[in-house]
Amino acid sequence: GHGDDRIRVAGDKGIIEVKEGKTTLVTNDNPPVSIDTTPSRFFFPDFISHIEKKGNCLLSAEDSFYSTEVVLKARLSADEKRTIVGIKE
């Protein structure tokens, strides 16, 4: 990156945007709000703890598969320039 990387996710209740290391939530009802996105837990150490039977994973296997499904369908939607339906909630 060149310091200009960003991601914006739009939904029916607002937009969340990450750019320059800062996260902002924008909704129709409120002015933009900065959000602290510093994780309280980290995936890899939690995964190792789970394997060693010393703790629980941050994400379940079901959550991981669902996230993968969403990302693959988002990519397909972008590639084909059309709406993809069928993602369970």
Side-chain angles (χ1 to χ4, degrees), residues 48-65:
I48 297 300
S49 289
H50 180 74
I51 289 172
E52 294 173 342
K53 300 192 186 295
K54 296 178 183 173
N56 295 323
C57 274
L58 188 59
L59 294 174
S60 68
E62 182 178 284
D63 291 338
S64 297
F65 290 127

Side-chain angles (χ1 to χ4, degrees), residues 23-42:
T23 304
T24 305
L25 174 65
V26 181
T27 66
N28 291 333
D29 302 328
N30 298 303
V33 177
S34 291
I35 299 173
D36 180 14
T37 56
T38 306
S40 59
R41 294 171 61 187
F42 294 89

Side-chain angles (χ1 to χ4, degrees), residues 4 6 15 20 22 28 32-33 48 57 60 68 72 75 79 88:
D4 60 349
R6 70 173 65 188
I15 298 168
E20 298 174 359
K22 297 177 185 168
N28 291 333
V33 177
I48 297 300
C57 274
S60 68
T68 301
L72 291 173
R75 182 177 68 179
D79 289 347
K88 64 182 181 200

